């Protein structure tokens, strides 16, 4: 079987989950003997373009003739059995879906976010969950400046998605949607997507546990809580900061992102907060493995967070917002605990409760590890992916 995999990469240095899934799944398929043809475009190309190049790129977000031709040429040359689309926005554009379908290919799309409901992909208006644009009235985005806080950019994105809504591009040009959690499925079915074309498949991570050096990291407390990942608004960084204005427990934070400078300035004033910034992956995993538990106060719908399943692979407990993937992945008191979105006091209570129950943490950590082994191993993921491909051929 030949698989053509399409993905619009984030900027260089980004730790985006969909970039990681794209790379990991392509490698997994190759390890099983399949031919994988990768077609990618990076957001760096927009940053590095001149004024004229940026204007062309913006126009191409509606319909990229360049990407359409290149995908068409690849299909003509390689004759893939399946075209698997990960992320097409902004630069690749929905034109690649048409290039695949018009050339006789079956199209599978992994939905890493809620882009088909919310063109901003976050289902956030500011810091509030919002799915109003699921009705197709995207121009309300202009009123609120939903896309990157810019009314002009919001207007452009609204026009792009209105055009493709009218053409029903996302309804007709995709043969199978891979959703990452039940919430995504509910949202899609709510706006008229064919439930018979929707399937759920979690992400996976390789088992890193056997490779972790159990030695303690220097300059860290004996006991500590961890947050690691993108230092961004949607990941609940401000919720974390509010909680640790009250909590007197050691916190280790690893990652980078748009709020990194603000967070570092805040953390430097806190004796119990250790901000390590970007941390090499193996060192990061060792620090997580030696922690008491991991906090995950995200304020948006996580698809199937790589941080969360990686945490479970290490046998560590999660304290997470009761939202999106966490809602179904975390069983209360079994492999973690959940708190209500926006309820900082509840978040603090859950953290304090677990901190004072080290023996319970060991038991729950074993359950988290079992969940990982049952649901998120590469081989299981490969089998599911093959079944999805076969279902459309």
């Amino acid at each position: 079987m030949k698989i053509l995999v399409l993905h619009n990469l984030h900027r260089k240095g980004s730790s985006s989950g969909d970039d990681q899934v794209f790379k990991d799944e392509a490698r997994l398929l190759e390890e099983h003997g399949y031919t994988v043809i990768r077609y990618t475009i990076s957001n760096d190309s927009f940053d590095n373009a001149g004024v004229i190049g940026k204007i062309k790129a913006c126009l191409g977000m509606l319909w990229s003739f360049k990407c359409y031709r290149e995908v068409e040429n690849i299909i003509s040359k390689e004759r893939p059995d399946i075209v698997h689309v990960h992320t097409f926005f902004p630069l690749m554009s929905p034109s690649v879906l048409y290039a695949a379908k018009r050339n006789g290919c079956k199209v599978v799309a992994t939905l890493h976010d809620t882009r088909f409901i919310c063109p901003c992909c976050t289902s956030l208006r500011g810091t509030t969950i919002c799915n109003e644009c699921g009705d197709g009235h995207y121009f309300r985005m202009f009123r609120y400046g939903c896309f990157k806080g810019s009314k002009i950019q919001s207007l452009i994105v609204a026009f792009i998605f209105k055009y493709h809504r009218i053409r029903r591009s996302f309804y007709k040009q995709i043969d199978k949607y891979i959703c990452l959690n039940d919430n995504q499925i509910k949202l899609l079915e709510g706006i008229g997507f064919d439930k018979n074309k929707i399937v759920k498949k979690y992400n996976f991570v390789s088992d890193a546990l056997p490779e972790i050096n159990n030695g303690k990291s220097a300059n860290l407390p004996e006991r500590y809580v961890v947050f690691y990942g993108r230092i961004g608004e949607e990941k609940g960084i401000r919720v974390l900061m509010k909680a640790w204005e009250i909590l007197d427990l050691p916190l280790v934070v690893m990652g980078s992102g748009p709020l990194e400078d603000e967070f570092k300035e805040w953390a430097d004033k806190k004796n119990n907060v250790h901000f390590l910034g970007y941390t090499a992956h193996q060192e990061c995993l060792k620090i997580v493995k030696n922690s008491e538990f991991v906090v995950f106060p995200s304020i948006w719908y996580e698809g199937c967070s790589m941080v969360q399943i990686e945490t479970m692979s290490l046998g560590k407990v999660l304290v997470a917002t009761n939202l999106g993937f966490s809602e179904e992945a975390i069983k209360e008191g079994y492999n973690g605990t959940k708190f209500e979105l926006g309820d900082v006091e509840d978040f603090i209570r859950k953290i304090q409760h677990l901190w004072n129950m080290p023996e319970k943490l060991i038991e729950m950590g074993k359950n988290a590890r079992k969940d990982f082994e049952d649901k998120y191993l590469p081989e299981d993921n490969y089998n599911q992916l093959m079944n999805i491909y076969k279902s459309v051929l």
Side-chain angles (χ1 to χ4, degrees):
M1 184 185 293
K2 271 189 180 180
I3 304 104
L4 170 58
V5 188
L6 313 180
H7 183 54
N8 192 137
L9 292 159
H10 293 257
R11 287 170 175 82
K12 187 177 180 181
S14 168
S15 56
S16 176
D18 52 346
D19 285 358
Q20 186 178 341
V21 172
F22 156 72
K23 294 171 186 175
D24 288 350
E25 282 194 355
R27 185 171 60 251
L28 182 68
L29 290 167
E30 287 176 329
E31 288 172 354
H32 282 82
Y34 295 97
T35 301
V36 177
I37 307 107
R38 297 165 177 81
Y39 177 75
T40 64
I41 189 169
S42 171
N43 289 342
D44 288 330
S45 64
F46 180 86
D47 297 338
N48 298 330
V51 174
I52 300 301
K54 282 184 167 66
I55 292 172
K56 287 182 178 179
C58 287
L59 294 173
M61 292 176 190
L62 176 67
W63 185 278
S64 174
F65 289 97
K66 175 179 179 291
C67 292
Y68 182 95
R69 288 192 302 270
E70 290 178 347
V71 169
E72 191 173 50
N73 289 339
I74 292 171
I75 292 172
S76 176
K77 179 183 177 181
E78 299 288 347
R79 297 295 176 189
D81 299 285
I82 293 283
V83 175
H84 188 156
V85 182
H86 284 270
T87 299
F88 60 81
F89 192 80
L91 301 180
M92 198 172 282
S93 90
S95 70
V96 297
L97 304 175
Y98 286 86
K101 291 297 288 181
R102 288 173 179 175
N103 286 277
C105 292
K106 296 295 184 180
V107 178
V108 171
T110 296
L111 309 188
H112 294 278
D113 47 45
T114 56
R115 179 84 68 185
F116 291 167
I117 295 96
C118 166
C120 298
C121 87
T122 60
S123 285
L124 287 175
R125 183 188 295 168
T127 58
T128 303
I129 290 290
C130 173
N131 292 303
E132 289 187 28
C133 285
D135 62 8
H137 297 301
Y138 302 119
F139 291 103
R140 64 165 61 88
M141 291 173 60
F142 172 74
R143 188 192 323 159
Y144 297 108
C146 293
F147 192 80
K148 297 185 177 180
S150 166
K151 288 193 172 186
I152 296 301
Q153 291 186 67
S154 296
L155 183 63
I156 293 169
V157 172
F159 178 77
I160 291 168
F161 277 80
K162 188 66 175 180
Y163 171 79
H164 286 287
R165 179 88 170 213
I166 292 169
R167 293 196 67 173
R168 295 186 68 77
S169 299
F170 308 132
Y171 291 83
K172 294 182 176 180
Q173 304 303 315
I174 298 172
D175 297 292
K176 189 72 76 172
Y177 310 95
I178 299 177
C179 287
L180 304 180
N181 60 59
D182 293 333
N183 179 69
Q184 280 184 329
I185 295 173
K186 180 181 176 182
L187 289 172
L188 284 183
E189 291 181 352
I191 60 170
F193 279 75
D194 184 354
K195 65 181 180 181
N196 295 314
K197 292 167 66 175
I198 299 172
V199 63
K200 183 171 76 171
K201 181 185 75 66
Y202 295 134
N203 293 331
F204 73 92
V205 296
S206 297
D207 187 0
L209 191 59
E211 301 174 14
I212 298 299
N213 180 344
N214 286 324
K216 291 284 185 180
S217 298
N219 302 319
L220 292 182
E222 185 67 24
R223 297 183 70 204
Y224 54 86
V225 178
V226 160
F227 171 94
Y228 73 112
R230 177 176 161 86
I231 311 298
E233 187 83 62
E234 77 282 4
K235 296 297 183 180
I237 286 297
R238 297 194 194 282
V239 175
L240 186 72
M241 292 163 71
K242 287 178 183 177
W244 255 265
E245 284 293 343
I246 297 169
L247 287 165
D248 193 29
L249 307 178
L251 172 69
V252 175
V253 176
M254 296 174 285
S256 59
L259 296 183
E260 184 175 351
D261 291 342
E262 179 183 337
F263 184 82
K264 183 179 186 306
E265 183 179 349
W266 173 83
D268 285 346
K269 300 173 185 176
K270 309 288 289 183
N271 293 330
N272 60 328
V273 178
H274 306 262
F275 179 49
L276 307 184
Y278 169 78
T279 306
H281 192 235
Q282 285 299 108
E283 179 64 16
C284 176
L285 294 182
K286 183 173 79 169
I287 291 170
V288 173
K289 181 66 177 69
N290 289 322
S291 71
E292 296 299 307
F293 52 87
V294 172
V295 290
F296 196 82
S298 181
I299 64 170
W300 75 315
Y301 297 126
E302 296 285 345
C304 178
S305 166
M306 305 299 276
V307 165
Q308 287 182 278
I309 59 177
E310 196 169 64
T311 297
M312 288 188 271
S313 79
L314 297 172
K316 306 311 292 186
V317 172
L318 281 158
V319 181
T321 315
N322 189 14
L323 189 69
F325 172 65
S326 300
E327 196 170 4
E328 62 193 78
I330 297 176
K331 302 179 184 73
E332 190 64 36
Y334 174 77
N335 61 352
T337 186
K338 294 171 281 192
F339 68 97
E340 293 300 317
L341 174 65
D343 191 339
V344 177
E345 291 183 358
D346 190 28
F347 184 37
I348 291 170
R349 281 195 299 270
K350 297 295 174 64
I351 291 169
Q352 289 175 324
H353 179 70
L354 285 179
W355 182 264
N356 294 322
M357 300 182 66
E359 292 182 1
K360 180 68 173 176
L361 283 172
I362 294 172
E363 177 190 335
M364 292 169 67
K366 290 177 180 177
N367 294 335
R369 173 68 189 182
K370 184 178 185 304
D371 258 7
F372 166 74
E373 293 173 348
D374 289 345
K375 301 175 184 175
Y376 310 110
L377 286 171
E379 197 60 29
D380 292 336
N381 208 277
Y382 162 75
N383 291 330
Q384 292 176 62
L385 196 55
M386 283 298 102
N387 288 336
I388 291 167
Y389 288 167
K390 289 173 184 176
S391 74
V392 299
L393 290 175

